[in-house]
Amino acid sequence: MHFVKAKGIIGTNNGMNIYRGCQHGCIYCDARSSCYQMHHIFEDIEVKENAIELLEAALKSKRKPTMIGTGAMTDPYMPLEEQLQMTRRSLEVIEKQGFGATVLTKSDLILRDLDLFQRIHEKTKAVAQITLTTLDDSLSRLIEPNVCPTSRRVEVLREFQKAGVPTVVWFCPILPFLTDTEENIRAILDACRDTGVKGIIWFGPGVTLREGDREYFYANLDKKFPGLKEEYIRRYGASYEVNSPNAKHLNRLFHELCRQYGIWHDNDQIFTYLHTLEEKEDQLSFF
């Protein structure tokens, strides 16, 4: 890892990224794409050493509390977070200044900060977002090698449910010929139902591939799933959107099961929820 002095920390829709790059090694990671203009090795994590000071100043300058999100580009609970604790420190700032927080991760390290999520949610609002791709742990270890398997992430969802902190699942990407099965869709949705997930972000069965990301993805297909790269190239060429041959059926199944289980499955509704800090009665009396 290496450290840099950042000029700012809060971006579009009140999102932030303390780190840049990732240690999880997911074979499909869009953040590797050349369009993001990362000028260092992806695994050489860039750490914004002044992120906490910038966050404190940014929140003090806001006229009223909002939701602050992190994890859209870089997982804030990579292994180095255990040492640096910058995500935890940012949550402490958010709690102290009365803002809401939502965090997207694949890591069970988020459980370390469950106490902070509870305290924030008691005052304002906190939401834990967890990415799930397959309920098959052996497959998960192949496509997401340096992060806890799905079964452990389901345990994380259950712990947040017990703590009274709402959760949202990102069910993506769905990899053609690997995870695009009815069995997988049903298994993930059953787990979401059983752990009380509020909503599921779903972009349809498929994955996006572009320069930088595509090359890494194909290299890993060659290593771990011999012959599958050639099937992708034959079927999809250099397409950005790589949709499952089973897309129509799986889309219908996903939405039917979500309706049956009472899980939100409209992305716009979920994003509005994630970006909105509703006023609580104690907030009204305070302000």
Side-chain angles (χ1 to χ4, degrees):
M1 65 181 172
H2 63 282
F3 293 86
V4 298
K5 286 277 189 182
K7 295 180 179 179
I9 193 67
I10 300 293
T12 305
N13 292 322
N14 293 310
M16 67 174 180
N17 284 293
I18 295 170
Y19 306 119
R20 201 157 186 231
C22 192
Q23 298 173 302
H24 286 161
C26 302
I27 69 172
Y28 50 73
C29 182
D30 177 72
R32 291 180 180 274
S33 300
S34 302
C35 63
Y36 297 119
Q37 300 181 344
M38 190 174 297
H39 302 301
H40 59 85
I41 297 172
F42 193 71
E43 291 77 13
D44 178 18
I45 311 303
E46 180 179 285
V47 181
K48 298 175 183 177
E49 61 182 340
N50 57 335
I52 306 305
E53 294 79 9
L54 290 172
L55 179 61
E56 289 176 333
L59 298 192
K60 286 178 181 177
S61 71
K62 288 186 177 292
R63 290 167 47 182
K64 65 177 185 178
T66 61
M67 291 293 289
I68 304 297
T70 188
M73 282 296 295
T74 296
D75 196 312
Y77 285 108
M78 291 178 288
L80 60 75
E81 165 61 19
E82 191 167 6
Q83 168 194 349
L84 298 180
Q85 298 197 27
M86 294 191 70
T87 299
R88 181 173 179 86
R89 289 166 60 198
S90 70
L91 290 172
E92 290 171 340
V93 171
I94 289 167
E95 183 212 359
K96 181 180 178 181
Q97 299 203 28
F99 283 68
T102 181
V103 178
L104 172 60
T105 185
K106 292 185 179 79
S107 174
D108 58 351
L109 183 56
I110 191 175
L111 285 174
R112 180 201 63 189
D113 297 338
L114 182 55
D115 62 321
L116 274 169
F117 280 89
Q118 287 180 292
R119 295 205 300 268
I120 292 170
H121 195 61
E122 287 171 0
K123 294 179 180 179
T124 54
K125 177 178 172 182
V127 185
Q129 302 178 65
I130 305 293
T131 297
L132 305 179
T133 57
T134 174
L135 212 64
D136 181 338
D137 280 355
S138 60
L139 181 55
S140 173
R141 290 187 176 96
L142 289 173
I143 65 176
E144 302 151 339
N146 303 324
V147 67
C148 63
T150 307
S151 59
R152 176 58 175 160
R153 286 176 243 171
V154 172
E155 291 177 12
V156 170
L157 290 168
R158 186 168 286 111
E159 290 302 312
F160 273 84
Q161 178 193 31
K162 291 178 182 177
V165 178
T167 55
V168 164
V169 159
W170 287 61
F171 191 2
C172 60
I174 311 297
L175 301 179
F177 315 114
L178 287 173
T179 63
D180 60 337
T181 66
E182 179 172 332
E183 179 186 17
N184 190 44
I185 303 301
R186 289 184 180 276
I188 293 290
L189 265 65
D190 285 352
C192 290
R193 175 200 58 196
D194 295 344
T195 55
V197 167
K198 190 176 190 70
I200 303 175
I201 296 291
W202 168 267
F203 297 109
V207 64
T208 57
L209 297 176
R210 49 189 163 187
E211 183 184 356
D213 169 23
R214 181 184 292 108
E215 290 79 4
Y216 187 80
F217 180 67
Y218 281 170
N220 276 276
L221 289 187
D222 264 345
K223 293 177 185 176
K224 300 175 180 184
F225 310 98
L228 189 53
K229 181 184 79 171
E230 286 70 25
E231 177 64 18
Y232 268 74
I233 293 172
R234 183 188 68 80
R235 183 177 290 267
Y236 303 111
S239 298
Y240 168 62
E241 293 187 358
V242 175
N243 296 316
S244 166
N246 302 321
K248 186 175 180 179
H249 169 66
L250 296 179
N251 266 316
R252 184 168 56 248
L253 176 66
F254 170 80
H255 292 293
E256 285 177 355
L257 288 176
C258 284
R259 282 190 290 268
Q260 180 181 331
Y261 295 165
I263 299 173
W264 289 359
H265 52 109
D266 178 272
N267 287 355
D268 290 340
Q269 178 187 26
I270 298 168
F271 284 131
T272 297
Y273 170 72
L274 292 172
H275 294 146
T276 302
L277 182 58
E278 303 88 350
E279 291 185 326
K280 294 184 177 180
E281 290 185 7
D282 55 345
Q283 283 180 286
L284 291 172
S285 62
F286 178 81
F287 290 108

